[in-house]
Amino acid sequence: MPYVKVEKGVRIFVEDLNPDGEQTVLFIHGWPANHKMFEYQFNQLPKCGIRCIGVDIRGFGKSDKPWEGYSYDSLADDINCVIETLDLDDITLVGFSVGGAIAVRYMNRYSGYGISKLALVSAAVPVFTQRPDYPYSLPVGEVNKLICQTYTDRPNMLSEFGKKFFASNMSPQFLNWFSGLGLEASGHATASLAISLRDEDLRSDVQQISVPTAIFHGIHDQIVAFANAEITHQNISGSVLIPFEFSGHGLINDELDKFNYCLTQFLCMS
């Protein structure tokens, strides 16, 4: 079942690897990419008996690209449809960047239905942009600039954003591949989700999470500062914070082996 219908005229693309795996992990990708950003996890985790399910959120990758529905509530509703349609239970939910924000909203909105563990990776929580009482995130003006560039020169925006994504010296070919993931999205969806990133606030949501939670975050993250991970850790009771000393936002590639190992260890914890 490569597509899940979430509402009239909107289907979400789903890739299901190793359906007979002993453990199930549902991955929610970050802005502005799609589920293929987890290629280097999907190459390895199924070998450990792990079922990996990657979704393209609406507007991105191979999913349908409606004009509306890019609030965290709507995107969490889409995840709920995937979980119910695939009859998933006792799974680990992995959210990267805005995928982490969507995961947190899902946990609050649906009381963690079907989820036994949560992994927040470079997560855009609790707040992606600065507030008068929250100085740790990006200035609103920087996100407005990304939105403007999306509507005027999206290929260049994606290229420049990719340069800030990683702390490692990624090859030009890798960076071109990564930018290409963003081009698979619709421009309108890219801008609309950036607006949600700019405006939504998850400070009350994170306090409602009660499942075992691991927070993976790069020390040198230029997109979501490490201070956000520390605050999230403080607000999720019993959570574990795993710093990545040589990583930026793209820690799943910056420290690929360490991330795959730490995630697998987290999945194996009883």
Side-chain angles (χ1 to χ4, degrees), residues 17 25 27 35-48 50-52 94 96 121 174 177 250-261 263-264 267:
L17 300 170
V25 184
F27 291 81
H35 84 282
K36 289 188 288 188
M37 72 176 295
F38 296 112
E39 174 178 341
Y40 300 95
Q41 284 68 55
F42 295 161
N43 286 344
Q44 301 299 326
L45 297 183
K47 297 177 184 178
C48 302
I50 297 169
R51 178 187 185 188
C52 295
V94 176
F96 180 94
V121 186
F174 184 94
W177 169 79
L251 66 86
I252 66 173
N253 300 108
D254 278 331
E255 295 183 72
L256 171 61
D257 291 339
K258 177 180 176 179
F259 175 72
N260 286 353
Y261 174 80
L263 178 59
T264 302
L267 296 175

mmCIF file of all heavy atoms in Angstrom, residues 17 25 27 35-48 50-52 94 96 121 174 177 250-261 263-264 267:
data_model
loop_
_atom_site.group_PDB
_atom_site.id
_atom_site.type_symbol
_atom_site.label_atom_id
_atom_site.label_comp_id
_atom_site.label_asym_id
_atom_site.label_seq_id
_atom_site.Cartn_x
_atom_site.Cartn_y
_atom_site.Cartn_z
ATOM 1 N N LEU A 17 9.562 -0.693 4.634
ATOM 2 C CA LEU A 17 10.717 -1.563 4.458
ATOM 3 C C LEU A 17 10.748 -2.619 5.552
ATOM 4 O O LEU A 17 10.615 -2.302 6.736
ATOM 5 C CB LEU A 17 12.004 -0.745 4.485
ATOM 6 C CG LEU A 17 12.141 0.336 3.399
ATOM 7 C CD1 LEU A 17 13.342 1.230 3.681
ATOM 8 C CD2 LEU A 17 12.280 -0.306 2.026
ATOM 9 N N VAL A 25 9.372 1.237 13.242
ATOM 10 C CA VAL A 25 9.747 2.637 13.420
ATOM 11 C C VAL A 25 9.118 3.454 12.294
ATOM 12 O O VAL A 25 9.274 3.108 11.117
ATOM 13 C CB VAL A 25 11.279 2.822 13.409
ATOM 14 C CG1 VAL A 25 11.627 4.276 13.706
ATOM 15 C CG2 VAL A 25 11.931 1.895 14.414
ATOM 16 N N PHE A 27 9.106 7.067 10.485
ATOM 17 C CA PHE A 27 9.969 8.230 10.322
ATOM 18 C C PHE A 27 9.197 9.394 9.695
ATOM 19 O O PHE A 27 8.553 9.229 8.654
ATOM 20 C CB PHE A 27 11.153 7.894 9.408
ATOM 21 C CG PHE A 27 12.157 6.938 9.987
ATOM 22 C CD1 PHE A 27 11.927 5.567 9.960
ATOM 23 C CD2 PHE A 27 13.343 7.404 10.540
ATOM 24 C CE1 PHE A 27 12.858 4.668 10.471
ATOM 25 C CE2 PHE A 27 14.280 6.517 11.057
ATOM 26 C CZ PHE A 27 14.040 5.143 11.021
ATOM 27 N N HIS A 35 10.977 11.646 2.713
ATOM 28 C CA HIS A 35 11.413 10.465 3.470
ATOM 29 C C HIS A 35 12.748 9.905 2.977
ATOM 30 O O HIS A 35 13.435 9.195 3.723
ATOM 31 C CB HIS A 35 10.339 9.375 3.409
ATOM 32 C CG HIS A 35 10.382 8.516 2.195
ATOM 33 N ND1 HIS A 35 9.905 8.921 0.968
ATOM 34 C CD2 HIS A 35 10.868 7.254 2.011
ATOM 35 C CE1 HIS A 35 10.096 7.957 0.082
ATOM 36 N NE2 HIS A 35 10.671 6.938 0.677
ATOM 37 N N LYS A 36 13.142 10.259 1.755
ATOM 38 C CA LYS A 36 14.405 9.735 1.229
ATOM 39 C C LYS A 36 15.630 10.307 1.942
ATOM 40 O O LYS A 36 16.737 9.802 1.761
ATOM 41 C CB LYS A 36 14.490 9.983 -0.277
ATOM 42 C CG LYS A 36 13.527 9.106 -1.075
ATOM 43 C CD LYS A 36 13.736 9.210 -2.568
ATOM 44 C CE LYS A 36 13.259 10.523 -3.125
ATOM 45 N NZ LYS A 36 13.295 10.552 -4.607
ATOM 46 N N MET A 37 15.436 11.319 2.776
ATOM 47 C CA MET A 37 16.567 11.834 3.543
ATOM 48 C C MET A 37 17.083 10.778 4.529
ATOM 49 O O MET A 37 18.220 10.863 4.995
ATOM 50 C CB MET A 37 16.185 13.113 4.297
ATOM 51 C CG MET A 37 15.256 12.923 5.477
ATOM 52 S SD MET A 37 14.960 14.461 6.385
ATOM 53 C CE MET A 37 16.594 14.802 7.022
ATOM 54 N N PHE A 38 16.253 9.778 4.844
ATOM 55 C CA PHE A 38 16.649 8.706 5.763
ATOM 56 C C PHE A 38 17.277 7.516 5.030
ATOM 57 O O PHE A 38 17.340 6.418 5.581
ATOM 58 C CB PHE A 38 15.437 8.227 6.567
ATOM 59 C CG PHE A 38 14.836 9.266 7.478
ATOM 60 C CD1 PHE A 38 13.580 9.790 7.215
ATOM 61 C CD2 PHE A 38 15.532 9.733 8.585
ATOM 62 C CE1 PHE A 38 13.011 10.751 8.049
ATOM 63 C CE2 PHE A 38 14.981 10.686 9.434
ATOM 64 C CZ PHE A 38 13.717 11.197 9.159
ATOM 65 N N GLU A 39 17.739 7.726 3.815
ATOM 66 C CA GLU A 39 18.301 6.626 3.028
ATOM 67 C C GLU A 39 19.354 5.838 3.789
ATOM 68 O O GLU A 39 19.391 4.602 3.734
ATOM 69 C CB GLU A 39 18.932 7.182 1.741
ATOM 70 C CG GLU A 39 19.679 6.154 0.917
ATOM 71 C CD GLU A 39 20.251 6.714 -0.368
ATOM 72 O OE1 GLU A 39 19.790 7.791 -0.835
ATOM 73 O OE2 GLU A 39 21.168 6.082 -0.916
ATOM 74 N N TYR A 40 20.209 6.540 4.529
ATOM 75 C CA TYR A 40 21.337 5.876 5.172
ATOM 76 C C TYR A 40 20.958 5.228 6.502
ATOM 77 O O TYR A 40 21.780 4.549 7.114
ATOM 78 C CB TYR A 40 22.500 6.860 5.314
ATOM 79 C CG TYR A 40 22.930 7.343 3.948
ATOM 80 C CD1 TYR A 40 22.444 8.537 3.419
ATOM 81 C CD2 TYR A 40 23.784 6.570 3.161
ATOM 82 C CE1 TYR A 40 22.800 8.950 2.144
ATOM 83 C CE2 TYR A 40 24.148 6.974 1.895
ATOM 84 C CZ TYR A 40 23.646 8.169 1.384
ATOM 85 O OH TYR A 40 23.989 8.562 0.109
ATOM 86 N N GLN A 41 19.732 5.433 6.920
ATOM 87 C CA GLN A 41 19.157 4.637 8.005
ATOM 88 C C GLN A 41 18.416 3.431 7.414
ATOM 89 O O GLN A 41 18.533 2.316 7.913
ATOM 90 C CB GLN A 41 18.189 5.491 8.846
ATOM 91 C CG GLN A 41 18.883 6.459 9.776
ATOM 92 C CD GLN A 41 19.616 7.578 9.051
ATOM 93 O OE1 GLN A 41 19.031 8.304 8.249
ATOM 94 N NE2 GLN A 41 20.910 7.708 9.314
ATOM 95 N N PHE A 42 17.689 3.682 6.322
ATOM 96 C CA PHE A 42 16.940 2.601 5.685
ATOM 97 C C PHE A 42 17.877 1.536 5.106
ATOM 98 O O PHE A 42 17.465 0.386 4.931
ATOM 99 C CB PHE A 42 16.039 3.156 4.585
ATOM 100 C CG PHE A 42 14.945 4.060 5.075
ATOM 101 C CD1 PHE A 42 14.298 4.930 4.203
ATOM 102 C CD2 PHE A 42 14.545 4.046 6.395
ATOM 103 C CE1 PHE A 42 13.278 5.759 4.639
ATOM 104 C CE2 PHE A 42 13.531 4.880 6.853
ATOM 105 C CZ PHE A 42 12.893 5.740 5.966
ATOM 106 N N ASN A 43 19.113 1.896 4.813
ATOM 107 C CA ASN A 43 20.085 0.920 4.324
ATOM 108 C C ASN A 43 20.492 -0.081 5.398
ATOM 109 O O ASN A 43 20.883 -1.211 5.080
ATOM 110 C CB ASN A 43 21.360 1.625 3.837
ATOM 111 C CG ASN A 43 21.172 2.324 2.511
ATOM 112 O OD1 ASN A 43 20.214 2.063 1.795
ATOM 113 N ND2 ASN A 43 22.086 3.220 2.181
ATOM 114 N N GLN A 44 20.438 0.344 6.677
ATOM 115 C CA GLN A 44 21.043 -0.441 7.749
ATOM 116 C C GLN A 44 20.045 -1.022 8.745
ATOM 117 O O GLN A 44 20.177 -2.177 9.154
ATOM 118 C CB GLN A 44 22.064 0.422 8.510
ATOM 119 C CG GLN A 44 23.196 0.964 7.642
ATOM 120 C CD GLN A 44 24.029 -0.141 7.017
ATOM 121 O OE1 GLN A 44 24.224 -1.199 7.612
ATOM 122 N NE2 GLN A 44 24.520 0.106 5.811
ATOM 123 N N LEU A 45 19.062 -0.240 9.168
ATOM 124 C CA LEU A 45 18.201 -0.687 10.264
ATOM 125 C C LEU A 45 17.423 -1.967 9.944
ATOM 126 O O LEU A 45 17.268 -2.829 10.839
ATOM 127 C CB LEU A 45 17.245 0.434 10.680
ATOM 128 C CG LEU A 45 17.906 1.702 11.250
ATOM 129 C CD1 LEU A 45 16.848 2.699 11.680
ATOM 130 C CD2 LEU A 45 18.837 1.378 12.409
ATOM 131 N N PRO A 46 16.919 -2.143 8.721
ATOM 132 C CA PRO A 46 16.229 -3.413 8.450
ATOM 133 C C PRO A 46 17.109 -4.643 8.652
ATOM 134 O O PRO A 46 16.596 -5.726 8.956
ATOM 135 C CB PRO A 46 15.799 -3.263 6.982
ATOM 136 C CG PRO A 46 15.639 -1.788 6.792
ATOM 137 C CD PRO A 46 16.760 -1.192 7.599
ATOM 138 N N LYS A 47 18.431 -4.502 8.508
ATOM 139 C CA LYS A 47 19.336 -5.621 8.745
ATOM 140 C C LYS A 47 19.306 -6.060 10.212
ATOM 141 O O LYS A 47 19.697 -7.186 10.531
ATOM 142 C CB LYS A 47 20.766 -5.237 8.370
ATOM 143 C CG LYS A 47 20.961 -4.899 6.898
ATOM 144 C CD LYS A 47 22.394 -4.451 6.643
ATOM 145 C CE LYS A 47 22.603 -4.006 5.203
ATOM 146 N NZ LYS A 47 24.001 -3.528 4.978
ATOM 147 N N CYS A 48 18.855 -5.160 11.085
ATOM 148 C CA CYS A 48 18.772 -5.459 12.519
ATOM 149 C C CYS A 48 17.374 -5.938 12.916
ATOM 150 O O CYS A 48 17.038 -5.959 14.106
ATOM 151 C CB CYS A 48 19.144 -4.223 13.332
ATOM 152 S SG CYS A 48 20.786 -3.571 12.993
ATOM 153 N N ILE A 50 14.498 -4.467 12.009
ATOM 154 C CA ILE A 50 13.640 -3.311 12.277
ATOM 155 C C ILE A 50 12.817 -2.984 11.036
ATOM 156 O O ILE A 50 13.351 -2.880 9.928
ATOM 157 C CB ILE A 50 14.483 -2.095 12.697
ATOM 158 C CG1 ILE A 50 15.218 -2.403 14.012
ATOM 159 C CG2 ILE A 50 13.611 -0.853 12.851
ATOM 160 C CD1 ILE A 50 16.276 -1.384 14.373
ATOM 161 N N ARG A 51 11.532 -2.849 11.223
ATOM 162 C CA ARG A 51 10.630 -2.411 10.156
ATOM 163 C C ARG A 51 10.671 -0.891 10.092
ATOM 164 O O ARG A 51 10.376 -0.211 11.081
ATOM 165 C CB ARG A 51 9.211 -2.888 10.435
ATOM 166 C CG ARG A 51 8.168 -2.454 9.405
ATOM 167 C CD ARG A 51 6.777 -2.836 9.876
ATOM 168 N NE ARG A 51 5.747 -2.540 8.883
ATOM 169 C CZ ARG A 51 4.436 -2.644 9.101
ATOM 170 N NH1 ARG A 51 4.003 -3.045 10.304
ATOM 171 N NH2 ARG A 51 3.571 -2.348 8.151
ATOM 172 N N CYS A 52 11.038 -0.357 8.959
ATOM 173 C CA CYS A 52 11.161 1.093 8.773
ATOM 174 C C CYS A 52 10.058 1.589 7.850
ATOM 175 O O CYS A 52 9.962 1.142 6.697
ATOM 176 C CB CYS A 52 12.524 1.452 8.191
ATOM 177 S SG CYS A 52 13.923 1.086 9.259
ATOM 178 N N VAL A 94 9.856 8.521 15.028
ATOM 179 C CA VAL A 94 11.079 9.301 14.860
ATOM 180 C C VAL A 94 10.740 10.551 14.056
ATOM 181 O O VAL A 94 10.254 10.453 12.924
ATOM 182 C CB VAL A 94 12.174 8.492 14.133
ATOM 183 C CG1 VAL A 94 13.398 9.365 13.887
ATOM 184 C CG2 VAL A 94 12.557 7.262 14.933
ATOM 185 N N PHE A 96 12.304 14.173 12.576
ATOM 186 C CA PHE A 96 13.482 14.992 12.308
ATOM 187 C C PHE A 96 13.047 16.426 12.033
ATOM 188 O O PHE A 96 12.203 16.679 11.169
ATOM 189 C CB PHE A 96 14.261 14.448 11.105
ATOM 190 C CG PHE A 96 15.492 15.251 10.770
ATOM 191 C CD1 PHE A 96 16.727 14.888 11.284
ATOM 192 C CD2 PHE A 96 15.411 16.375 9.969
ATOM 193 C CE1 PHE A 96 17.858 15.637 10.997
ATOM 194 C CE2 PHE A 96 16.531 17.137 9.676
ATOM 195 C CZ PHE A 96 17.760 16.761 10.191
ATOM 196 N N VAL A 121 14.871 14.141 16.665
ATOM 197 C CA VAL A 121 16.165 14.293 16.023
ATOM 198 C C VAL A 121 16.271 15.697 15.425
ATOM 199 O O VAL A 121 15.492 16.049 14.535
ATOM 200 C CB VAL A 121 16.362 13.235 14.920
ATOM 201 C CG1 VAL A 121 17.780 13.306 14.366
ATOM 202 C CG2 VAL A 121 16.054 11.835 15.439
ATOM 203 N N PHE A 174 26.692 15.159 -2.832
ATOM 204 C CA PHE A 174 25.730 14.905 -1.755
ATOM 205 C C PHE A 174 24.832 16.127 -1.558
ATOM 206 O O PHE A 174 23.608 15.988 -1.415
ATOM 207 C CB PHE A 174 26.452 14.571 -0.458
ATOM 208 C CG PHE A 174 25.528 14.209 0.672
ATOM 209 C CD1 PHE A 174 25.211 12.883 0.925
ATOM 210 C CD2 PHE A 174 24.966 15.192 1.484
ATOM 211 C CE1 PHE A 174 24.343 12.540 1.962
ATOM 212 C CE2 PHE A 174 24.105 14.863 2.513
ATOM 213 C CZ PHE A 174 23.796 13.531 2.753
ATOM 214 N N TRP A 177 22.293 16.304 -4.235
ATOM 215 C CA TRP A 177 21.244 15.317 -3.979
ATOM 216 C C TRP A 177 20.271 15.826 -2.924
ATOM 217 O O TRP A 177 19.043 15.738 -3.096
ATOM 218 C CB TRP A 177 21.881 14.004 -3.518
ATOM 219 C CG TRP A 177 20.903 13.002 -2.974
ATOM 220 C CD1 TRP A 177 20.077 12.188 -3.682
ATOM 221 C CD2 TRP A 177 20.647 12.722 -1.585
ATOM 222 N NE1 TRP A 177 19.328 11.410 -2.827
ATOM 223 C CE2 TRP A 177 19.652 11.708 -1.537
ATOM 224 C CE3 TRP A 177 21.174 13.212 -0.393
ATOM 225 C CZ2 TRP A 177 19.175 11.199 -0.341
ATOM 226 C CZ3 TRP A 177 20.695 12.697 0.805
ATOM 227 C CH2 TRP A 177 19.706 11.704 0.828
ATOM 228 N N GLY A 250 22.112 18.377 10.376
ATOM 229 C CA GLY A 250 22.023 17.097 9.692
ATOM 230 C C GLY A 250 22.825 15.995 10.343
ATOM 231 O O GLY A 250 23.625 15.323 9.692
ATOM 232 N N LEU A 251 22.608 15.774 11.620
ATOM 233 C CA LEU A 251 23.427 14.813 12.369
ATOM 234 C C LEU A 251 23.274 13.391 11.860
ATOM 235 O O LEU A 251 24.167 12.560 12.056
ATOM 236 C CB LEU A 251 23.114 14.897 13.861
ATOM 237 C CG LEU A 251 21.719 14.492 14.363
ATOM 238 C CD1 LEU A 251 21.607 13.003 14.630
ATOM 239 C CD2 LEU A 251 21.359 15.273 15.626
ATOM 240 N N ILE A 252 22.156 13.085 11.203
ATOM 241 C CA ILE A 252 21.972 11.724 10.704
ATOM 242 C C ILE A 252 22.977 11.391 9.607
ATOM 243 O O ILE A 252 23.186 10.207 9.294
ATOM 244 C CB ILE A 252 20.535 11.474 10.211
ATOM 245 C CG1 ILE A 252 20.208 12.321 8.981
ATOM 246 C CG2 ILE A 252 19.541 11.731 11.332
ATOM 247 C CD1 ILE A 252 18.871 11.985 8.358
ATOM 248 N N ASN A 253 23.605 12.438 9.045
ATOM 249 C CA ASN A 253 24.678 12.241 8.075
ATOM 250 C C ASN A 253 26.026 12.681 8.613
ATOM 251 O O ASN A 253 27.053 12.067 8.313
ATOM 252 C CB ASN A 253 24.367 12.990 6.781
ATOM 253 C CG ASN A 253 23.083 12.523 6.129
ATOM 254 O OD1 ASN A 253 22.081 13.236 6.139
ATOM 255 N ND2 ASN A 253 23.096 11.326 5.581
ATOM 256 N N ASP A 254 26.037 13.751 9.405
ATOM 257 C CA ASP A 254 27.293 14.234 9.983
ATOM 258 C C ASP A 254 27.992 13.146 10.793
ATOM 259 O O ASP A 254 29.210 12.971 10.704
ATOM 260 C CB ASP A 254 27.027 15.441 10.888
ATOM 261 C CG ASP A 254 26.892 16.750 10.121
ATOM 262 O OD1 ASP A 254 27.499 16.880 9.044
ATOM 263 O OD2 ASP A 254 26.184 17.643 10.615
ATOM 264 N N GLU A 255 27.221 12.463 11.628
ATOM 265 C CA GLU A 255 27.754 11.359 12.437
ATOM 266 C C GLU A 255 26.868 10.138 12.204
ATOM 267 O O GLU A 255 26.205 9.643 13.116
ATOM 268 C CB GLU A 255 27.820 11.747 13.908
ATOM 269 C CG GLU A 255 28.801 12.877 14.186
ATOM 270 C CD GLU A 255 28.926 13.227 15.651
ATOM 271 O OE1 GLU A 255 29.530 12.431 16.414
ATOM 272 O OE2 GLU A 255 28.402 14.289 16.046
ATOM 273 N N LEU A 256 26.892 9.674 10.977
ATOM 274 C CA LEU A 256 26.007 8.609 10.517
ATOM 275 C C LEU A 256 26.095 7.358 11.386
ATOM 276 O O LEU A 256 25.082 6.844 11.875
ATOM 277 C CB LEU A 256 26.332 8.277 9.064
ATOM 278 C CG LEU A 256 25.669 7.040 8.455
ATOM 279 C CD1 LEU A 256 24.159 7.187 8.462
ATOM 280 C CD2 LEU A 256 26.200 6.813 7.043
ATOM 281 N N ASP A 257 27.297 6.846 11.575
ATOM 282 C CA ASP A 257 27.445 5.599 12.326
ATOM 283 C C ASP A 257 26.988 5.754 13.769
ATOM 284 O O ASP A 257 26.322 4.871 14.323
ATOM 285 C CB ASP A 257 28.899 5.119 12.282
ATOM 286 C CG ASP A 257 29.313 4.653 10.898
ATOM 287 O OD1 ASP A 257 28.430 4.331 10.085
ATOM 288 O OD2 ASP A 257 30.531 4.619 10.625
ATOM 289 N N LYS A 258 27.345 6.876 14.384
ATOM 290 C CA LYS A 258 26.935 7.096 15.771
ATOM 291 C C LYS A 258 25.422 7.198 15.872
ATOM 292 O O LYS A 258 24.814 6.607 16.783
ATOM 293 C CB LYS A 258 27.579 8.369 16.336
ATOM 294 C CG LYS A 258 27.120 8.687 17.753
ATOM 295 C CD LYS A 258 27.750 9.950 18.312
ATOM 296 C CE LYS A 258 27.194 10.288 19.694
ATOM 297 N NZ LYS A 258 27.811 11.502 20.282
ATOM 298 N N PHE A 259 24.808 7.917 14.944
ATOM 299 C CA PHE A 259 23.354 8.049 15.023
ATOM 300 C C PHE A 259 22.665 6.708 14.852
ATOM 301 O O PHE A 259 21.769 6.352 15.632
ATOM 302 C CB PHE A 259 22.824 9.034 13.981
ATOM 303 C CG PHE A 259 21.324 9.101 13.965
ATOM 304 C CD1 PHE A 259 20.639 9.706 15.006
ATOM 305 C CD2 PHE A 259 20.598 8.508 12.942
ATOM 306 C CE1 PHE A 259 19.245 9.733 15.026
ATOM 307 C CE2 PHE A 259 19.212 8.525 12.949
ATOM 308 C CZ PHE A 259 18.534 9.145 13.988
ATOM 309 N N ASN A 260 23.063 5.942 13.831
ATOM 310 C CA ASN A 260 22.430 4.639 13.620
ATOM 311 C C ASN A 260 22.604 3.731 14.833
ATOM 312 O O ASN A 260 21.678 3.014 15.236
ATOM 313 C CB ASN A 260 23.001 3.969 12.370
ATOM 314 C CG ASN A 260 22.497 4.606 11.092
ATOM 315 O OD1 ASN A 260 21.624 5.463 11.111
ATOM 316 N ND2 ASN A 260 23.041 4.175 9.965
ATOM 317 N N TYR A 261 23.800 3.766 15.438
ATOM 318 C CA TYR A 261 24.061 2.941 16.617
ATOM 319 C C TYR A 261 23.185 3.392 17.789
ATOM 320 O O TYR A 261 22.538 2.560 18.449
ATOM 321 C CB TYR A 261 25.536 3.020 16.998
ATOM 322 C CG TYR A 261 25.859 2.313 18.296
ATOM 323 C CD1 TYR A 261 26.015 0.931 18.342
ATOM 324 C CD2 TYR A 261 26.004 3.036 19.484
ATOM 325 C CE1 TYR A 261 26.286 0.277 19.535
ATOM 326 C CE2 TYR A 261 26.287 2.389 20.678
ATOM 327 C CZ TYR A 261 26.425 1.018 20.690
ATOM 328 O OH TYR A 261 26.702 0.372 21.890
ATOM 329 N N LEU A 263 20.420 5.164 17.811
ATOM 330 C CA LEU A 263 18.993 4.930 17.578
ATOM 331 C C LEU A 263 18.664 3.456 17.776
ATOM 332 O O LEU A 263 17.655 3.120 18.430
ATOM 333 C CB LEU A 263 18.606 5.381 16.171
ATOM 334 C CG LEU A 263 17.140 5.146 15.785
ATOM 335 C CD1 LEU A 263 16.195 5.877 16.735
ATOM 336 C CD2 LEU A 263 16.871 5.572 14.341
ATOM 337 N N THR A 264 19.509 2.574 17.259
ATOM 338 C CA THR A 264 19.260 1.137 17.423
ATOM 339 C C THR A 264 19.288 0.744 18.894
ATOM 340 O O THR A 264 18.452 -0.049 19.362
ATOM 341 C CB THR A 264 20.317 0.324 16.647
ATOM 342 O OG1 THR A 264 20.264 0.699 15.270
ATOM 343 C CG2 THR A 264 20.045 -1.164 16.759
ATOM 344 N N LEU A 267 16.083 1.778 20.436
ATOM 345 C CA LEU A 267 14.988 0.884 20.049
ATOM 346 C C LEU A 267 15.017 -0.423 20.832
ATOM 347 O O LEU A 267 13.961 -1.003 21.125
ATOM 348 C CB LEU A 267 15.082 0.581 18.548
ATOM 349 C CG LEU A 267 14.905 1.769 17.598
ATOM 350 C CD1 LEU A 267 15.154 1.341 16.162
ATOM 351 C CD2 LEU A 267 13.525 2.383 17.745
#
